[in-house]
Amino acid sequence: MNVAMRAFLDSILIQNPVVMTFVGALLAVVVPRSARSSLRPALRFSVALFFAGLVGATLTTMVPIVAAPMVFLAVGLATTALLLALGELRDTWMGMPQAILGVAPLIGVQILVGTYGEPAAMVAASGGNAVGFAIMFVLIGAIRESSRISESSDTFKTNPVVLFSMAVFALALTGFLFW
Amino acid sequence: MDEVLRIERIVLLGLVTLLGATGTLLTALAGLTISAAAALAVCGVNAVVRITAGESPFARWSLLISVGFIISWLLASLAPFVVVVPDGAILFLQLAGVSPIVFYAVAQKVSARDALIGWAQFGVLLLTAGVVREVFGRGTIAGYLAPGGFVIPADFFASPMGAFLVVGAVVLGARVAVRFATNGGGKQ
């Protein structure tokens, strides 16, 4: 298996940005309410993650290492502004702008993609992170929706079910190994 | 239900740090220190920005996020010189400054008392999760063998699955405890 294909599959599965590297975990736990309503946001977030990862990781190869956090921050904030312009993350969440949820995944994916070093692997890893995030985002939306309409006690609905389901996903993805 | 909602809120606010920086007790301690330092810096900058007239919300929050991230990035690069931090945990120490818990004290409708209680709960949760995951995952406490050496390490506690199990158990435990306290465990 070549480096780019491995980077792509690793980023979808054993380095999934939601359940394995956690950078997108909060965004995926809070935002999706149902499977159907999460499809469009998932697409937008994944495109944003792809370009943020690619642009941020590429730019950091061109600047001194001490400037890398500034690049990550600038790309992360610019991509958040783009998501806001597209109509995502416009509500407030716990007294703060919901857009704050997007910053950690956008910066985290840049850092993760940047570790690959070579251009083909960075493109593949950006794509893998985007696809992996979108899949988990929709799946978690479906789990939240089905737990909400289930007949179980309110004690077990939504967040506990979502978090334990993410543990099961993490266990499943741990089983993938490519060489 | 207020208390359960508060604990669930704190878990969500600090979720990324709770998941990623609790593999060992020392990592959790580093995560708590960095988060607290970033939060203090954010509060300080917010106090200055608040008196600046005409500040747009996006510019204000961008500035606060920048402050939090720079503080956490700088401290995360120093952390390995102070405590033993696994390589995989550095990312979460770097990102601790953009976790929503850092901005909790400057959020709308959050009093200073609420923020302090929230931070105390976050600290306890972070350190407890660090102890549980290290003891059951590695069989050690702060890098030393657990007293008596009776713990059989189960590596999955140190894995992503263990992180979600511990955090999920906290949320579920808080809900169950409040349910029993309010109606004696009767069906809702």
Side-chain angles (χ1 to χ4, degrees):
Chain A
M1 186 181 292
N2 65 35
V3 175
M5 180 56 78
R6 180 169 179 166
F8 181 70
L9 292 175
D10 276 355
S11 300
I12 293 177
L13 299 168
I14 57 177
Q15 290 177 7
N16 184 280
V18 175
V19 294
M20 301 303 275
T21 60
F22 308 133
V23 292
L26 181 58
L27 187 60
V29 167
V30 171
V31 174
R33 295 286 152 195
S34 67
R36 184 183 292 269
S37 68
S38 63
L39 287 172
R40 186 175 292 179
L43 184 65
R44 286 176 175 165
F45 289 137
S46 62
V47 171
L49 282 174
F50 176 75
F51 283 108
L54 193 57
V55 171
T58 306
L59 286 177
T60 49
T61 62
M62 303 173 184
V63 298
I65 194 155
V66 290
M70 295 302 160
V71 171
F72 294 143
L73 188 60
V75 173
L77 290 175
T79 317
T80 307
L82 190 65
L83 283 170
L84 280 168
L86 289 173
E88 297 297 336
L89 303 175
R90 284 193 160 180
D91 297 335
T92 56
W93 180 74
M94 298 200 192
M96 53 188 95
Q98 202 179 34
I100 212 161
L101 301 173
V103 178
L106 289 167
I107 293 177
V109 164
Q110 292 176 65
I111 298 172
L112 290 169
V113 171
T115 59
Y116 283 92
E118 62 177 86
M122 288 198 295
V123 174
S126 299
N129 273 297
V131 173
F133 180 85
I135 292 170
M136 289 310 303
F137 192 87
V138 175
L139 281 174
I140 291 170
I143 290 166
R144 179 176 285 277
E145 181 182 15
S146 58
S147 83
R148 197 171 53 240
I149 61 176
S150 72
E151 294 180 353
S152 67
S153 163
D154 286 347
T155 308
F156 302 101
K157 287 183 177 180
T158 62
N159 286 333
V161 169
V162 167
L163 290 167
F164 285 123
S165 301
M166 290 167 89
V168 175
F169 281 122
L171 175 65
L173 296 184
T174 307
F176 288 92
L177 187 62
F178 305 105
W179 67 86
Chain B
M1 284 298 271
D2 282 353
E3 197 55 30
V4 69
L5 289 176
R6 186 199 295 272
I7 290 175
E8 205 162 318
R9 192 184 306 150
I10 296 302
V11 166
L12 289 179
L13 283 165
L15 185 67
V16 175
T17 312
L18 269 171
L19 292 169
T22 54
T24 65
L25 175 59
L26 292 178
T27 311
L29 199 57
L32 181 60
T33 308
I34 291 171
S35 299
L40 286 173
V42 163
C43 286
V45 171
N46 184 61
V48 175
V49 169
R50 205 168 43 187
I51 57 175
T52 308
E55 196 68 50
S56 79
F58 186 80
R60 172 177 167 246
W61 280 98
S62 298
L63 179 64
L64 296 180
I65 289 168
S66 304
V67 169
F69 181 63
I70 289 167
I71 295 286
S72 65
W73 184 280
L74 290 174
L75 292 180
S77 59
L78 297 176
F81 298 105
V82 182
V83 293
V84 179
V85 180
D87 287 344
I90 298 287
L91 172 66
F92 304 104
L93 299 183
Q94 290 169 337
L95 291 178
V98 291
S99 183
I101 188 77
V102 167
F103 308 98
Y104 187 47
V106 299
Q108 291 172 353
K109 297 177 184 174
V110 176
S111 65
R113 181 176 172 275
D114 283 343
L116 283 174
I117 293 172
W119 266 94
Q121 289 175 330
F122 177 65
V124 170
L125 281 174
L126 200 63
L127 296 178
T128 307
V131 169
V132 169
R133 290 187 64 199
E134 185 176 355
V135 168
F136 292 108
R138 298 165 186 250
T140 59
I141 300 173
Y144 297 98
L145 281 176
F150 61 89
V151 178
I152 301 171
D155 195 41
F156 77 86
F157 264 104
S159 72
M161 183 185 61
F164 281 113
L165 281 181
V166 170
V167 172
V170 168
V171 172
L172 183 59
R175 286 190 180 194
V176 170
V178 171
R179 180 181 165 185
F180 271 84
T182 51
N183 61 7
K187 189 170 173 56
Q188 289 180 351

